[in-house]
PDB file of all heavy atoms in Angstrom:
ATOM      1  N   LYS A  24     -15.034  -4.644  65.235  1.00  0.00           N
ATOM      2  CA  LYS A  24     -13.779  -4.531  64.478  1.00  0.00           C
ATOM      3  C   LYS A  24     -12.980  -5.836  64.491  1.00  0.00           C
ATOM      4  O   LYS A  24     -11.907  -5.919  63.892  1.00  0.00           O
ATOM      5  CB  LYS A  24     -12.918  -3.412  65.057  1.00  0.00           C
ATOM      6  CG  LYS A  24     -13.569  -2.042  64.950  1.00  0.00           C
ATOM      7  CD  LYS A  24     -12.700  -0.979  65.600  1.00  0.00           C
ATOM      8  CE  LYS A  24     -13.399   0.378  65.515  1.00  0.00           C
ATOM      9  NZ  LYS A  24     -12.791   1.385  66.378  1.00  0.00           N
ATOM     10  N   ALA A  25     -13.455  -6.839  65.192  1.00  0.00           N
ATOM     11  CA  ALA A  25     -12.691  -8.080  65.372  1.00  0.00           C
ATOM     12  C   ALA A  25     -12.336  -8.713  64.024  1.00  0.00           C
ATOM     13  O   ALA A  25     -13.122  -8.663  63.064  1.00  0.00           O
ATOM     14  CB  ALA A  25     -13.492  -9.065  66.220  1.00  0.00           C
ATOM     15  N   TYR A  26     -11.151  -9.312  63.990  1.00  0.00           N
ATOM     16  CA  TYR A  26     -10.691 -10.059  62.799  1.00  0.00           C
ATOM     17  C   TYR A  26     -10.771 -11.546  63.151  1.00  0.00           C
ATOM     18  O   TYR A  26      -9.903 -12.072  63.866  1.00  0.00           O
ATOM     19  CB  TYR A  26      -9.257  -9.627  62.455  1.00  0.00           C
ATOM     20  CG  TYR A  26      -8.643 -10.419  61.320  1.00  0.00           C
ATOM     21  CD1 TYR A  26      -9.012 -10.175  60.003  1.00  0.00           C
ATOM     22  CD2 TYR A  26      -7.686 -11.399  61.577  1.00  0.00           C
ATOM     23  CE1 TYR A  26      -8.445 -10.900  58.958  1.00  0.00           C
ATOM     24  CE2 TYR A  26      -7.112 -12.131  60.539  1.00  0.00           C
ATOM     25  CZ  TYR A  26      -7.501 -11.873  59.238  1.00  0.00           C
ATOM     26  OH  TYR A  26      -6.941 -12.587  58.207  1.00  0.00           O
ATOM     27  N   VAL A  27     -11.862 -12.180  62.736  1.00  0.00           N
ATOM     28  CA  VAL A  27     -12.119 -13.547  63.189  1.00  0.00           C
ATOM     29  C   VAL A  27     -12.532 -14.479  62.043  1.00  0.00           C
ATOM     30  O   VAL A  27     -13.576 -15.124  62.092  1.00  0.00           O
ATOM     31  CB  VAL A  27     -13.196 -13.558  64.304  1.00  0.00           C
ATOM     32  CG1 VAL A  27     -12.630 -12.990  65.586  1.00  0.00           C
ATOM     33  CG2 VAL A  27     -14.448 -12.768  63.894  1.00  0.00           C
ATOM     34  N   PRO A  28     -11.690 -14.568  60.989  1.00  0.00           N
ATOM     35  CA  PRO A  28     -12.077 -15.412  59.851  1.00  0.00           C
ATOM     36  C   PRO A  28     -12.133 -16.892  60.202  1.00  0.00           C
ATOM     37  O   PRO A  28     -12.773 -17.670  59.484  1.00  0.00           O
ATOM     38  CB  PRO A  28     -10.981 -15.134  58.825  1.00  0.00           C
ATOM     39  CG  PRO A  28      -9.814 -14.672  59.616  1.00  0.00           C
ATOM     40  CD  PRO A  28     -10.381 -13.943  60.789  1.00  0.00           C
ATOM     41  N   TYR A  29     -11.490 -17.316  61.276  1.00  0.00           N
ATOM     42  CA  TYR A  29     -11.397 -18.746  61.597  1.00  0.00           C
ATOM     43  C   TYR A  29     -12.475 -19.177  62.579  1.00  0.00           C
ATOM     44  O   TYR A  29     -13.258 -20.080  62.294  1.00  0.00           O
ATOM     45  CB  TYR A  29      -9.978 -19.076  62.088  1.00  0.00           C
ATOM     46  CG  TYR A  29      -8.974 -18.562  61.087  1.00  0.00           C
ATOM     47  CD1 TYR A  29      -8.174 -17.454  61.367  1.00  0.00           C
ATOM     48  CD2 TYR A  29      -8.898 -19.125  59.811  1.00  0.00           C
ATOM     49  CE1 TYR A  29      -7.310 -16.936  60.416  1.00  0.00           C
ATOM     50  CE2 TYR A  29      -8.036 -18.612  58.851  1.00  0.00           C
ATOM     51  CZ  TYR A  29      -7.243 -17.516  59.151  1.00  0.00           C
ATOM     52  OH  TYR A  29      -6.413 -16.997  58.205  1.00  0.00           O
ATOM     53  N   SER A  30     -12.548 -18.532  63.723  1.00  0.00           N
ATOM     54  CA  SER A  30     -13.560 -18.943  64.717  1.00  0.00           C
ATOM     55  C   SER A  30     -14.925 -18.326  64.427  1.00  0.00           C
ATOM     56  O   SER A  30     -15.935 -18.854  64.864  1.00  0.00           O
ATOM     57  CB  SER A  30     -13.128 -18.519  66.119  1.00  0.00           C
ATOM     58  OG  SER A  30     -13.273 -17.111  66.294  1.00  0.00           O
ATOM     59  N   LYS A  31     -14.938 -17.191  63.731  1.00  0.00           N
ATOM     60  CA  LYS A  31     -16.171 -16.420  63.547  1.00  0.00           C
ATOM     61  C   LYS A  31     -16.810 -16.087  64.904  1.00  0.00           C
ATOM     62  O   LYS A  31     -18.035 -16.028  65.036  1.00  0.00           O
ATOM     63  CB  LYS A  31     -17.170 -17.171  62.659  1.00  0.00           C
ATOM     64  CG  LYS A  31     -16.560 -17.753  61.390  1.00  0.00           C
ATOM     65  CD  LYS A  31     -17.208 -17.201  60.164  1.00  0.00           C
ATOM     66  CE  LYS A  31     -16.788 -17.849  58.851  1.00  0.00           C
ATOM     67  NZ  LYS A  31     -15.355 -17.985  58.617  1.00  0.00           N
ATOM     68  N   PHE A  32     -15.950 -15.876  65.889  1.00  0.00           N
ATOM     69  CA  PHE A  32     -16.401 -15.572  67.256  1.00  0.00           C
ATOM     70  C   PHE A  32     -15.787 -14.229  67.663  1.00  0.00           C
ATOM     71  O   PHE A  32     -14.709 -14.182  68.275  1.00  0.00           O
ATOM     72  CB  PHE A  32     -15.947 -16.696  68.197  1.00  0.00           C
ATOM     73  CG  PHE A  32     -16.479 -16.608  69.599  1.00  0.00           C
ATOM     74  CD1 PHE A  32     -17.739 -17.096  69.910  1.00  0.00           C
ATOM     75  CD2 PHE A  32     -15.708 -16.050  70.617  1.00  0.00           C
ATOM     76  CE1 PHE A  32     -18.229 -17.029  71.216  1.00  0.00           C
ATOM     77  CE2 PHE A  32     -16.189 -15.970  71.918  1.00  0.00           C
ATOM     78  CZ  PHE A  32     -17.452 -16.470  72.220  1.00  0.00           C
ATOM     79  N   PRO A  33     -16.438 -13.128  67.287  1.00  0.00           N
ATOM     80  CA  PRO A  33     -15.867 -11.819  67.609  1.00  0.00           C
ATOM     81  C   PRO A  33     -15.986 -11.499  69.096  1.00  0.00           C
ATOM     82  O   PRO A  33     -16.987 -11.837  69.737  1.00  0.00           O
ATOM     83  CB  PRO A  33     -16.717 -10.851  66.779  1.00  0.00           C
ATOM     84  CG  PRO A  33     -18.012 -11.541  66.573  1.00  0.00           C
ATOM     85  CD  PRO A  33     -17.721 -13.026  66.563  1.00  0.00           C
ATOM     86  N   VAL A  34     -14.955 -10.855  69.621  1.00  0.00           N
ATOM     87  CA  VAL A  34     -14.922 -10.454  71.030  1.00  0.00           C
ATOM     88  C   VAL A  34     -14.484  -8.998  71.108  1.00  0.00           C
ATOM     89  O   VAL A  34     -13.590  -8.564  70.376  1.00  0.00           O
ATOM     90  CB  VAL A  34     -13.924 -11.333  71.833  1.00  0.00           C
ATOM     91  CG1 VAL A  34     -13.870 -10.890  73.301  1.00  0.00           C
ATOM     92  CG2 VAL A  34     -14.296 -12.811  71.737  1.00  0.00           C
ATOM     93  N   GLY A  35     -15.130  -8.254  71.971  1.00  0.00           N
ATOM     94  CA  GLY A  35     -14.717  -6.873  72.246  1.00  0.00           C
ATOM     95  C   GLY A  35     -14.529  -6.700  73.733  1.00  0.00           C
ATOM     96  O   GLY A  35     -15.292  -7.252  74.540  1.00  0.00           O
ATOM     97  N   ALA A  36     -13.499  -5.951  74.117  1.00  0.00           N
ATOM     98  CA  ALA A  36     -13.224  -5.693  75.531  1.00  0.00           C
ATOM     99  C   ALA A  36     -13.047  -4.193  75.718  1.00  0.00           C
ATOM    100  O   ALA A  36     -12.564  -3.503  74.810  1.00  0.00           O
ATOM    101  CB  ALA A  36     -11.967  -6.433  75.973  1.00  0.00           C
ATOM    102  N   ALA A  37     -13.425  -3.698  76.882  1.00  0.00           N
ATOM    103  CA  ALA A  37     -13.227  -2.276  77.186  1.00  0.00           C
ATOM    104  C   ALA A  37     -12.951  -2.125  78.669  1.00  0.00           C
ATOM    105  O   ALA A  37     -13.399  -2.943  79.495  1.00  0.00           O
ATOM    106  CB  ALA A  37     -14.453  -1.455  76.778  1.00  0.00           C
ATOM    107  N   ALA A  38     -12.196  -1.094  78.991  1.00  0.00           N
ATOM    108  CA  ALA A  38     -11.835  -0.860  80.397  1.00  0.00           C
ATOM    109  C   ALA A  38     -11.706   0.633  80.649  1.00  0.00           C
ATOM    110  O   ALA A  38     -11.472   1.423  79.726  1.00  0.00           O
ATOM    111  CB  ALA A  38     -10.520  -1.561  80.725  1.00  0.00           C
ATOM    112  N   ILE A  39     -11.862   0.987  81.913  1.00  0.00           N
ATOM    113  CA  ILE A  39     -11.582   2.357  82.363  1.00  0.00           C
ATOM    114  C   ILE A  39     -10.222   2.331  83.048  1.00  0.00           C
ATOM    115  O   ILE A  39      -9.973   1.470  83.914  1.00  0.00           O
ATOM    116  CB  ILE A  39     -12.647   2.859  83.362  1.00  0.00           C
ATOM    117  CG1 ILE A  39     -14.038   2.794  82.731  1.00  0.00           C
ATOM    118  CG2 ILE A  39     -12.330   4.278  83.816  1.00  0.00           C
ATOM    119  CD1 ILE A  39     -15.156   3.181  83.691  1.00  0.00           C
ATOM    120  N   ALA A  40      -9.358   3.247  82.652  1.00  0.00           N
ATOM    121  CA  ALA A  40      -8.059   3.378  83.305  1.00  0.00           C
ATOM    122  C   ALA A  40      -8.192   4.338  84.493  1.00  0.00           C
ATOM    123  O   ALA A  40      -9.201   5.036  84.631  1.00  0.00           O
ATOM    124  CB  ALA A  40      -7.023   3.886  82.309  1.00  0.00           C
ATOM    125  N   ASP A  41      -7.163   4.353  85.329  1.00  0.00           N
ATOM    126  CA  ASP A  41      -7.275   5.141  86.560  1.00  0.00           C
ATOM    127  C   ASP A  41      -7.232   6.652  86.318  1.00  0.00           C
ATOM    128  O   ASP A  41      -7.495   7.422  87.237  1.00  0.00           O
ATOM    129  CB  ASP A  41      -6.246   4.714  87.605  1.00  0.00           C
ATOM    130  CG  ASP A  41      -4.815   4.733  87.101  1.00  0.00           C
ATOM    131  OD1 ASP A  41      -4.592   5.081  85.914  1.00  0.00           O
ATOM    132  OD2 ASP A  41      -3.912   4.385  87.878  1.00  0.00           O
ATOM    133  N   ASP A  42      -6.948   7.077  85.099  1.00  0.00           N
ATOM    134  CA  ASP A  42      -7.070   8.508  84.788  1.00  0.00           C
ATOM    135  C   ASP A  42      -8.405   8.826  84.115  1.00  0.00           C
ATOM    136  O   ASP A  42      -8.629   9.937  83.644  1.00  0.00           O
ATOM    137  CB  ASP A  42      -5.903   8.986  83.910  1.00  0.00           C
ATOM    138  CG  ASP A  42      -5.918   8.345  82.521  1.00  0.00           C
ATOM    139  OD1 ASP A  42      -6.785   7.474  82.265  1.00  0.00           O
ATOM    140  OD2 ASP A  42      -5.061   8.712  81.700  1.00  0.00           O
TER     141      ASP A  42
END
Side-chain angles (χ1 to χ4, degrees):
K24 297 177 182 167
Y26 175 76
V27 288
Y29 308 108
S30 74
K31 313 240 187 310
F32 187 83
V34 179
I39 302 176
D41 54 0
D42 66 356

